[in-house]
Amino acid sequence: MPNAENWQGDVLRDLRGGAQPPAQGQPGPQQQPAAGPAGQAPAPGAGPQGPGPQGPGAAHLPAAGPGGTAPGQAPAYGYPQQGPGPGPAAPAPAGHQAAYAAAGHGQRPRTPDSKPAVDRQLSGTGRKPRHGEPFSARALRAVRRTVSSSAAREVAEATRAAELLQQPVTTGRQIAVTSIRGGAGKSTVAALLGTTYAHYRQDPVLFVEADPALGSLPIRLGAESLRWTTGDVADIVEPQMSLLDITGYLVQLRDNAWLLPGSQGQIGAMLDTRSYERAMVALRRYFGVAVVDCETLPAEVARVALSASQARVLATPATLDGVSSTFAVLQWMKGLPPHMLASTAVVITEQAPHCGVDLADAVRTLEAAGPSVHVLPYDRHLADGGHIRTELLAHSTRQTASRLAADVFQLSQKRH
């Protein structure tokens, strides 16, 4: 039975192994991850507990190995290493059909067919992923670290960020990521944020795609196939379901993360505010952190997601029109309750080696409006699109991702 102190850990242990950890000194069976209806519903309000990984440099976004964890680091909760990539979407749990019908909903909706995240005709078009920075830049940085004191400063900064990232929560934190226009890099920012939380925290992490208009979040996260969507789950999830039941409708990712897609890559998919609210209210108690990739503003679902989240992130491209539009949004937010702007961070994304704005001036201008501002530097790996492989990210990208994740998580913890 899950204990109230760390019920997520017990359920995740069932998901990944199906058995209790072996006693010290005794080898345990290596079982494949599985999901299905079982277990007791967690106590409402029970918060995830337990320390995360420690050590110098822990706050840097890790260079994941073949199993999704950093080299030399054991998987969370001592589970067996996962395979080389996420598997197909799990079939729908079947244990609550009677309860669903008894509640007056009739028969549960038909299980949708699983569809690939990338059309099979296009699966071979992607090039081999590049490292985020050229070899010469990596070699030069290594030399500088050996002859300067920058390494000590990096360790101190990384340790502080790690402490912030590993703070326990008593209720799930919702973090909404949006932008004023498409192509601002909001799905990339959402993927980097959630990946950081999933690696360093022990409680489950949920990615929610609240942008059904052919969003790129599943591709960025390396999902192979999609089945249930946010709109589907809104009509299915019941209060009596356990985490084991819930994860049957989600796409399992690396570490302790799951994805709820916004669509199956179909044009015309819709998501209304009522469906979004029902899905989030039903799911938020199961996950320590939920990162929501929203529609662009001023879409109605995006406004609802911003108001219902504990922290908000606005992504803007490093262009004059992008910074100008984001500044206008910040001025609009000044007319909202004060906590909205106080718990907002802005990310300026460089999508080309040489941007068209003075970044230092742009940061000062946006910070004067109230939020904290981060600059996500140009990264060849991110610019190529496709699955984000953390081991290929540039050093500066990892540093920015860890600082941003720590800052946003701290904002979500404050009482404004």
Side-chain angles (χ1 to χ4, degrees):
M1 176 181 296
N3 63 73
E5 295 298 323
N6 194 6
W7 59 266
Q8 291 101 332
D10 294 319
V11 176
L12 284 168
R13 184 178 299 110
D14 293 337
L15 275 172
R16 299 189 181 228
Q20 296 296 324
Q24 186 173 3
Q26 296 180 359
Q30 298 292 320
Q31 300 187 15
Q32 296 297 323
Q40 180 178 345
Q49 303 290 335
Q54 302 290 337
H60 292 277
L61 192 62
T69 57
Q73 178 182 352
Y77 300 107
Y79 301 135
Q81 283 276 24
Q82 294 206 45
H96 293 273
Q97 178 68 54
Y100 188 86
H105 299 295
Q107 292 296 312
R108 187 177 297 280
R110 182 181 65 85
T111 301
D113 296 329
S114 179
K115 295 187 177 181
V118 179
D119 192 283
R120 292 185 177 88
Q121 298 181 14
L122 301 174
S123 59
T125 60
R127 298 187 304 176
K128 181 180 179 181
R130 297 185 296 172
H131 199 284
E133 55 187 347
F135 175 78
S136 58
R138 285 175 275 160
L140 180 60
R141 186 182 65 254
V143 172
R144 287 177 176 174
R145 284 174 57 89
T146 60
V147 299
S148 69
S149 59
S150 61
R153 292 195 300 269
E154 288 183 9
V155 169
E157 180 184 355
T159 302
R160 178 181 177 276
E163 293 174 352
L164 296 175
L165 285 167
Q166 295 162 8
Q167 290 179 1
V169 295
T170 54
T171 56
R173 304 286 91 184
Q174 295 182 42
I175 298 171
V177 183
T178 188
S179 64
I180 191 61
R181 62 182 68 238
K186 65 180 180 64
S187 295
T188 299
V189 171
L192 290 174
L193 278 175
T195 300
T196 305
Y197 296 135
H199 187 86
Y200 289 115
R201 299 189 59 79
Q202 292 194 14
D203 41 26
V205 173
L206 176 66
F207 292 90
V208 178
E209 188 180 36
D211 183 2
L214 300 179
S216 60
L217 185 62
I219 297 176
R220 292 307 243 170
L221 294 173
E224 295 181 357
S225 59
L226 310 174
R227 179 170 290 168
W228 302 94
T229 67
T230 307
D232 297 330
V233 169
D235 296 326
I236 293 175
V237 175
E238 298 293 331
Q240 69 272 22
M241 288 184 176
S242 69
L243 179 60
L244 286 170
D245 300 312
I246 295 298
T247 53
Y249 296 103
L250 307 177
V251 179
Q252 185 173 1
L253 305 171
R254 298 181 187 276
D255 295 326
N256 55 337
W258 279 266
L259 165 68
L260 180 58
S263 71
Q264 291 184 319
Q266 297 176 339
I267 296 177
M270 300 296 293
L271 177 64
D272 55 44
T273 56
R274 180 175 176 272
S275 296
Y276 172 79
E277 289 175 338
R278 289 184 60 185
M280 293 306 298
V281 168
L283 293 174
R284 65 187 178 187
R285 71 188 183 100
Y286 298 96
F287 298 90
V289 179
V291 179
V292 184
D293 182 12
C294 302
E295 295 176 294
T296 56
L297 291 170
E300 186 176 6
V301 173
R303 296 200 303 270
V304 170
L306 289 177
S307 62
S309 299
Q310 285 79 32
R312 298 142 199 89
V313 179
L314 295 178
T316 177
T319 60
L320 181 59
D321 57 334
V323 173
S324 176
S325 299
T326 301
F327 183 76
V329 172
L330 296 176
Q331 297 301 315
W332 166 73
M333 293 181 68
K334 288 183 177 180
L336 303 177
H339 74 275
M340 293 286 290
L341 191 55
S343 56
T344 296
V346 173
V347 181
I348 303 176
T349 60
E350 289 190 84
Q351 300 174 342
H354 305 287
C355 63
V357 296
D358 184 327
L359 288 176
D361 186 59
V363 169
R364 286 193 298 269
T365 301
L366 295 178
E367 283 182 338
S372 60
V373 181
H374 299 259
V375 176
L376 184 63
Y378 173 73
D379 186 300
R380 297 189 310 178
H381 180 61
L382 294 180
D384 287 343
H387 180 199
I388 297 177
R389 303 178 185 273
T390 55
E391 70 273 15
L392 296 180
L393 292 174
H395 178 71
S396 57
T397 302
R398 296 181 191 174
Q399 286 185 312
T400 301
S402 63
R403 286 195 296 262
L404 173 64
D407 180 28
V408 173
F409 187 73
Q410 191 175 27
L411 291 176
S412 73
Q413 294 279 66
K414 291 181 179 179
R415 295 183 177 180
H416 298 282

